[in-house]
Amino acid sequence: MAPPTSEQITPRQAKAPKQDSTPSFRMHLRQATRIDHDRSELAFAAFHRDPAQHLDWFLACQLSALEALSATCPPERMHSAALLQELIAALYQDCEARNQTVVALPQSAQPALTGLAVDYLVLGSRLGTEVLRRRLTQQVPHSPLPLYFSQRDHGPIWKDTCAALDKVATNSSTAKSIVEDSKAGFRLFHDAATCNQMVHAS
């Protein structure tokens, strides 16, 4: 049988195909880790209130967290491996220039994480850093920013990471692992904030 002509198509036949309303895994991941993300952000509340005043402490915390994160996954399994090492190197220079002591997280606090979870954390934190960079520029317009806040082109690897996450089936074991590993990664940032606060508290 030949397909119907335009004159023969009824309104029922012309109805648009039903759209899949299931959220992508990337959206699911964001929702599933919201509490963990917010808890991590709360640990840096003092810095968010006054970035310039607590900048040295923030840099030390970021170095603690990112070093711990880099130890959780082989670089060949990450999209963000080169960026991660670049950020760690910048933070070392920043902390050294500021005579800032950095507390390393214990090895026992560094679980084995999947590459996409590490990518999600590294690149997600980098997107937040862009907002912080603008705030610091407004607060201390005549002071050079630390190297950590230098603008970096992470767009291509963020795009690759998003594409990889969107291919993950939300109900799969892979999805469950990425969610749990992302939560563990957020805990590393929270622990870094706590450890460095304890050392530098007056």
Side-chain angles (χ1 to χ4, degrees):
M1 181 183 294
T5 65
S6 58
E7 290 79 12
Q8 294 172 317
I9 296 176
T10 65
R12 181 180 295 273
Q13 291 173 314
K15 187 177 180 180
K18 185 178 180 180
Q19 298 294 318
D20 185 1
S21 59
T22 303
S24 68
F25 173 65
R26 181 158 51 97
M27 183 61 67
H28 170 76
L29 177 60
R30 182 179 180 183
Q31 294 170 345
T33 59
R34 171 58 65 186
I35 292 176
D36 307 270
H37 170 272
D38 290 350
R39 182 170 179 264
S40 176
E41 285 290 288
L42 186 60
F44 292 95
F47 175 74
H48 291 299
R49 285 194 299 269
D50 191 347
Q53 180 67 27
H54 301 286
L55 181 57
D56 290 0
W57 169 73
F58 174 80
L59 294 170
C61 293
Q62 294 304 299
L63 181 51
S64 293
L66 291 180
E67 273 209 301
L69 202 57
S70 72
T72 65
C73 181
E76 63 270 16
R77 297 182 183 177
M78 293 183 267
H79 293 94
S80 61
L83 173 62
L84 178 55
Q85 293 309 312
E86 184 179 339
L87 294 174
I88 289 172
L91 284 165
Y92 264 112
Q93 293 183 62
D94 290 334
C95 290
E96 183 177 355
R98 295 166 178 269
N99 296 315
Q100 181 70 17
T101 302
V102 180
V103 179
L105 295 182
Q107 290 291 322
S108 59
Q110 300 173 14
L113 304 182
T114 55
L116 279 176
V118 176
D119 291 332
Y120 180 72
L121 292 161
V122 171
L123 295 166
S125 69
R126 197 62 200 164
L127 293 172
T129 301
E130 290 299 314
V131 177
L132 295 173
R133 182 181 60 81
R134 291 193 290 270
R135 288 183 59 194
L136 276 169
T137 300
Q138 293 173 353
Q139 194 172 7
V140 284
H142 303 299
S143 299
L145 292 180
L147 295 174
Y148 176 69
F149 288 95
S150 299
Q151 289 183 302
R152 294 174 172 85
D153 183 15
H154 56 263
I157 54 176
W158 175 239
K159 183 178 179 180
D160 290 342
T161 297
C162 290
L165 288 171
D166 286 340
K167 291 179 181 178
V168 176
T170 302
N171 295 322
S172 65
S173 59
T174 299
K176 182 177 180 180
S177 295
I178 294 173
V179 168
E180 293 305 313
D181 287 356
S182 296
K183 290 182 177 183
F186 279 123
R187 286 195 293 273
L188 290 177
F189 282 90
H190 179 274
D191 292 347
T194 302
C195 289
N196 281 278
Q197 276 183 321
M198 290 174 63
V199 169
H200 297 291
S202 57

